[in-house]
Amino acid sequence: MRNGEQELSIMTKPRIAFGVLVVLLGASAARAQEAPGAGRVKVASGAAFVVREGRAIPATPGQVVLEADVLRTGADGRLGITLNDDTRVSLGPASEVRVDRFSYASADGGLRLVLKFVRGVSAYVSGRIAKLSPDAVRLETPAAIVGVRGTTLAIRVDEQ
Amino acid sequence: MTDVRAAGLLLAGLALCAGACAAKGSAVVVLLPDSDKTVGRAGVENKAGAVDLDDANEGARVRKGQRPTVFQLADAEVQQMFAEAIAALPPAPRRFALNFRFESDELTDEARALVPDILALMRQRPAADVVVTGHTDTMGTARANFELGLKRATMVRNLLISAGLDAAQIQVSSLGETDLFVRTPDDTPEPRNRRVDIVVR
């Protein structure tokens, strides 16, 4: 009830507007529950894909990225994403990174970020998870694990 | 199959693996200065060893199963190797803190005055979205504070929508009492911890 009064005082508009607001809120709360998302694509050019459950979807700015998605670029591709904790990850051409684990701002308060750098060149800028709980962040390459303390990194992985 | 033939196959298998398995996969990890020119820290480790990176353009080279080694890169070398990945980094998210009036669910005047700045920044950025995160002080249970944070964030979300933002661009979340602005013991009232952060990305 207190909340309702507050909304009215912000809008200083008639009751009808308040009703419309409630309907909008209901609709998007339902949508938010369907796909909470780990982040969004912000930069995509050339052959750039989000691979979900084995299916490669061409990446477009604004597209939602989920935990367990794989980011993949072809020979002329570039891809940049921002995760919900402000972590940024980008890929140059012929590269692949998996958003292996992402847990942030969940009801149980758990923090976890695991990125798997499979191949190619990438850049990483740490976000809130690294600030709040540095040990919760793990960047994996086939040859070594990287731990971070609030950091910008460039990573190259060669499969040979 | 005779024992001799089985042993021969095993040896051939081992020889193949020595060529292909031993050195499969290598990585280069380079610590870059942050956008504010400070330099963070990173550790690179595997079963064979571990190294720390704490200087700008300091790198670790590591081959699977072998100890990482540290080396220093010139700016030109960083560019040559990573320019395309670095160019694809999205712009840094920008944070706005909205505070509430003392013992109230109402935003301060300063907080309301930030709304036009937030809208202007969103218009500048491609595929802009905004994350609205509610925070609480440590009064009450962690679970109840998660809900309260969500309620505060939802209120600010409604304010942004009435100011003209598209609902699809806004995400609400809550960190409850887990990300305090002012560190306090549990069950401590602290108005500065009752806030909503807005991040434009």
Side-chain angles (χ1 to χ4, degrees):
Chain A
M1 195 56 224
R2 251 175 106 192
N3 207 22
E5 284 162 8
Q6 174 55 21
E7 274 149 2
L8 277 176
S9 74
I10 287 170
M11 302 197 343
T12 60
K13 283 267 166 69
R15 255 156 227 264
I16 296 162
F18 180 56
V20 169
L21 199 68
V22 168
V23 171
L24 279 174
L25 176 60
S28 96
R31 197 165 55 228
Q33 270 172 359
E34 279 164 29
R40 283 181 197 236
V41 172
K42 292 291 176 188
V43 177
S45 69
F49 303 92
V50 174
V51 184
R52 185 168 302 157
E53 288 161 8
R55 232 167 51 86
I57 309 155
T60 52
Q63 183 178 345
V64 171
V65 174
L66 306 179
E67 184 183 62
D69 280 352
V70 173
L71 311 171
R72 186 182 291 160
T73 56
D76 65 342
R78 279 182 184 181
L79 184 53
I81 68 164
T82 303
L83 295 173
N84 291 348
D85 77 320
D86 299 354
T87 298
R88 289 177 284 154
V89 183
S90 62
L91 288 72
S95 303
E96 184 170 319
V97 175
R98 179 181 157 98
V99 183
D100 204 50
R101 295 280 309 278
F102 183 80
S103 175
Y104 178 73
S106 61
D108 66 9
L111 295 172
R112 189 81 174 126
L113 171 61
V114 180
L115 297 170
K116 282 194 172 170
F117 295 82
V118 180
R119 70 168 151 269
V121 289
S122 312
Y124 159 90
V125 183
S126 62
R128 300 292 296 166
I129 296 176
K131 198 160 277 175
L132 295 170
S133 176
D135 292 337
V137 179
R138 223 162 94 112
L139 312 181
E140 300 184 0
T141 77
I145 304 294
V146 184
V148 301
R149 298 279 181 275
T151 294
T152 303
L153 291 171
I155 296 176
R156 189 175 88 180
V157 173
D158 294 305
E159 288 176 295
Q160 257 97 71
Chain B
M1 190 186 291
T2 66
D3 283 352
V4 177
R5 276 183 61 199
L9 277 175
L10 186 65
L11 275 176
L14 282 175
L16 263 179
C17 196
C21 308
K24 200 164 177 267
S26 64
V28 174
V29 178
V30 183
L31 181 62
L32 302 179
D34 293 328
S35 52
D36 62 1
K37 306 292 176 210
T38 61
V39 178
R41 267 183 55 207
V44 178
E45 79 171 283
N46 61 15
K47 281 178 183 158
V51 295
D52 278 331
L53 305 177
D54 49 21
D55 273 336
N57 294 359
E58 193 174 32
R61 197 181 272 121
V62 56
R63 191 163 271 287
K64 195 168 187 175
Q66 294 176 22
R67 204 186 137 73
T69 54
V70 173
F71 68 116
Q72 185 69 35
L73 288 87
D75 283 340
E77 291 171 307
V78 170
Q79 281 306 311
Q80 193 192 350
M81 212 182 286
F82 297 108
E84 285 174 293
I86 293 168
L89 270 178
R94 218 173 110 198
R95 184 171 298 270
F96 299 83
L98 307 189
N99 288 103
F100 288 81
R101 286 187 186 159
F102 185 65
E103 293 199 337
S104 145
D105 283 344
E106 258 181 83
L107 289 171
T108 61
D109 292 341
E110 290 84 351
R112 273 161 201 269
L114 287 174
V115 173
D117 295 350
I118 293 165
L119 292 177
L121 183 63
M122 289 195 69
R123 276 192 288 271
Q124 283 169 24
R125 295 197 168 192
D129 70 308
V130 61
V131 182
V132 182
T133 306
H135 302 270
T136 69
D137 60 22
T138 57
M139 293 296 289
T141 67
R143 180 81 209 193
N145 280 331
F146 174 79
E147 298 298 335
L148 179 59
L150 207 55
K151 196 171 135 189
R152 289 200 172 128
T154 303
M155 200 184 83
V156 169
R157 171 188 179 279
N158 295 343
L159 175 70
L160 291 175
I161 290 173
S162 63
L165 231 66
D166 181 352
Q169 292 175 291
I170 311 172
Q171 237 187 99
V172 293
S173 73
S174 173
L175 283 173
E177 60 176 48
T178 63
D179 186 11
L180 301 176
F181 182 72
V182 181
R183 199 137 284 291
T184 70
D186 200 13
D187 286 318
T188 307
E190 171 52 69
R192 284 172 295 174
N193 284 335
R194 297 175 205 139
R195 69 203 196 277
V196 167
D197 277 342
I198 289 187
V199 179
V200 176
R201 311 185 302 184

